[in-house]
Amino acid sequence: MAKRSPLAPPVLPGYSYVRALGSGGFADVFLYRQDMPRREVAVKVLESSAVSAELLDNEVDVMASLSAHPSILTVYEASISADGRPYMVMEFCPGSLSSRYRVEQIPIAEVLSIGIRVASAVEAAHRVGVLHRDIKPSNILTTQFGHPVLADFGVAAMIATVESEDVAMSVPWSAPELVARTSSGSIATEVWALAATVYTLAAGRTPFQSLDGRRDEASHRDRISKARYTPLGRPDAPAALDAVLAGGMRRLPGDRYQSAGAFAEALQHVERELGLPGTSLDIPSSGWAPIAAPSAGEPPRGPVRSTVQVESKRARVATAASASATAKPPAASNRRGTVVGIATGIGIALAGLAAAAWWVLL
Ligand SMILES: Nc1ncnc2c1ncn2[C@@H]1O[C@H](COP(=O)(O)OP(=O)(O)O)[C@@H](O)[C@H]1O
Ligand SMILES: [Mg+2]
């Protein structure tokens, strides 16, 4: 992925810029302080050319619905900045697993628990027809409470539709059929990416990186296309974990676990084998996350602008004068008020009686 230099943080009404948090292939992430409610938020700003307003509209609806899942990053709002860049306001997460696996050996129990949570988030998304398309350690962030959450749902999909496929592809976690461009993403490519991500967290290196020899991208892609599995090589990693990871990274898509949920269950078996407390699968009941489908003919929604109707003083004086000229005598309006009051009272009493009768019948 081409390196790009970060752009300046945009001016966002209601938010004050604090500092830069990081940059990816097509976006910069900044820390802002929101004025009301007062809280720290992460703002992801995409390049203005990266995505159209309509695409942003559709994708943020998907992301907002998915973010109800306990292992998916919460998205608060999305809009277009005054200088024309699409941005998303999200929960601020102080940590990322990408920075963690490089500097420390994450305990196997934690790797399993993270893998199960993230796989259940992916399974939940698949059940409502959404692919993540960029599962990798840097998209697993840790909340202020230390929980792992999957970020960037739909972002890669948005970018892939307007840019070349390569821009959105994170090669070390991409399945052979993605690298060979015979697939543009499927449940099987997501199972591969999940297994490659869990492998990376456990091994401290990506599954097909060269341990010696050629380190260029062409030979990396070549090793992925052969899909020859290298065991984790950690004394505390059981053979069962290697078997599960190898099962998620089989060369042929049909030979892998059939779903992210099945991969999560296989990790749960490893937990049980090790006598660890089980991590539960957060998989929703059917009917979860009714995603707002873009309705045909509806104009694209723009940035939300709150407005309050303020009457001018001159208009108020004019209205008051005409009202007093046409006003009914107070007695008449009071009489009308009394009639309405009695009618409402009778209505409430009848409704009360009906409710009581219903209760007795039950
Ligand atoms: N919600 C967030 N809270 C804190 N840091 C974040 C958040 N989202 C992204 N970041 C940071 O910004 C960096 C760039 O993010 P991104 O543009 O998604 O690129 P990538 O996922 O390829 O690293 C990430 O590596 C991460 O450290
Ligand atoms: Mg990311």
Side-chain angles (χ1 to χ4, degrees), residues 21-24 27 29 42 44 90-93 136 138-139 141 152:
L21 289 171
S23 293
V29 184
K44 175 164 214 163
M90 316 170 272
E91 174 181 7
F92 167 58
C93 290
K136 58 180 179 179
S138 71
N139 278 338
L141 305 175
D152 281 352

Side-chain angles (χ1 to χ4, degrees), residues 22 28 36 48 73 137 159 163 179 204 215 293 309 313 333 335:
D28 300 310
M36 212 163 72
S48 51
L73 179 74
I159 305 296
E163 298 268 347
V179 169
R215 284 163 191 258
Q309 296 279 344
K313 203 172 169 191
S333 72
R335 216 166 29 241

Side-chain angles (χ1 to χ4, degrees), residues 272-294:
R272 278 196 287 277
E273 196 185 291
L274 293 175
L276 295 166
T279 306
S280 62
L281 281 190
D282 293 310
I283 293 180
S285 53
S286 59
W288 174 74
I291 285 170

Side-chain angles (χ1 to χ4, degrees), residues 7-355:
L7 298 169
V11 174
L12 302 176
Y15 298 90
S16 333
Y17 170 72
V18 180
R19 65 182 161 90
L21 289 171
S23 293
F26 43 79
D28 300 310
V29 184
F30 305 105
L31 180 67
Y32 280 72
R33 183 164 302 116
Q34 186 174 357
D35 294 339
M36 212 163 72
R38 178 136 312 170
R39 60 183 171 188
E40 290 193 315
V41 294
V43 178
K44 175 164 214 163
V45 186
L46 304 180
E47 283 179 55
S48 51
S49 60
V51 63
S52 72
E54 289 92 308
L55 264 175
L56 182 76
D57 260 11
N58 298 341
E59 293 299 333
V60 296
D61 287 342
V62 172
M63 283 181 246
S65 311
L66 289 175
S67 70
H69 191 281
S71 301
I72 296 180
L73 179 74
T74 303
V75 175
Y76 300 132
E77 67 159 304
S79 194
I80 312 261
S81 66
D83 63 5
R85 286 181 284 164
Y87 68 89
M88 265 178 288
V89 182
M90 316 170 272
E91 174 181 7
F92 167 58
C93 290
S96 127
L97 286 175
S98 169
S99 45
R100 219 180 131 196
Y101 83 80
R102 290 170 214 269
V103 296
E104 66 170 293
Q105 194 171 61
I106 306 175
I108 290 294
E110 202 183 338
V111 169
L112 289 169
S113 158
I114 294 167
I116 293 163
R117 286 165 196 257
V118 172
S120 77
V122 173
E123 173 66 33
H126 288 174
R127 292 203 183 182
V128 291
V130 176
L131 295 177
H132 184 285
R133 295 180 188 276
D134 200 17
I135 302 163
K136 58 180 179 179
S138 71
N139 278 338
I140 306 176
L141 305 175
T142 28
T143 66
Q144 317 223 31
F145 297 95
H147 297 299
V149 284
L150 187 56
D152 281 352
F153 254 100
V155 175
M158 273 196 284
I159 305 296
T161 47
V162 283
E163 298 268 347
S164 81
E165 284 170 34
D166 269 1
V167 175
M169 194 193 293
S170 304
V171 172
W173 303 275
S174 294
E177 65 272 25
L178 278 180
V179 169
R181 295 175 200 203
T182 53
S183 164
S184 59
S186 64
I187 288 180
T189 62
E190 308 253 283
V191 168
W192 173 290
L194 278 169
T197 299
V198 174
Y199 183 102
T200 307
L201 300 181
R205 60 181 150 81
T206 61
F208 299 96
Q209 82 182 49
S210 167
L211 297 178
D212 41 41
R214 295 176 59 203
R215 284 163 191 258
D216 58 298
E217 189 166 312
S219 57
H220 195 173
R221 285 170 182 254
D222 188 49
R223 281 190 299 276
I224 290 173
S225 65
K226 294 197 179 92
R228 202 165 299 127
Y229 183 82
T230 309
L232 292 169
R234 240 178 103 157
D236 58 342
L241 177 55
D242 272 316
V244 172
L245 298 178
M249 290 187 281
R250 296 239 185 276
R251 193 172 62 80
L252 296 176
D255 291 348
R256 297 174 206 150
Y257 289 101
Q258 295 297 295
S259 66
F263 175 71
E265 281 168 9
L267 292 177
Q268 283 183 314
H269 279 292
V270 181
E271 270 188 337
R272 278 196 287 277
E273 196 185 291
L274 293 175
L276 295 166
T279 306
S280 62
L281 281 190
D282 293 310
I283 293 180
S285 53
S286 59
W288 174 74
I291 285 170
S295 34
E298 195 181 289
R301 286 160 291 160
V304 177
R305 193 174 303 135
S306 309
T307 53
V308 178
Q309 296 279 344
V310 180
E311 246 184 310
S312 79
K313 203 172 169 191
R314 194 182 299 165
R316 207 161 52 233
V317 170
T319 318
S322 79
S324 67
T326 57
K328 289 195 167 68
S333 72
N334 275 353
R335 216 166 29 241
R336 191 145 136 250
T338 314
V339 171
V340 170
I342 291 171
T344 314
I346 292 172
I348 292 171
L350 284 175
L353 276 175

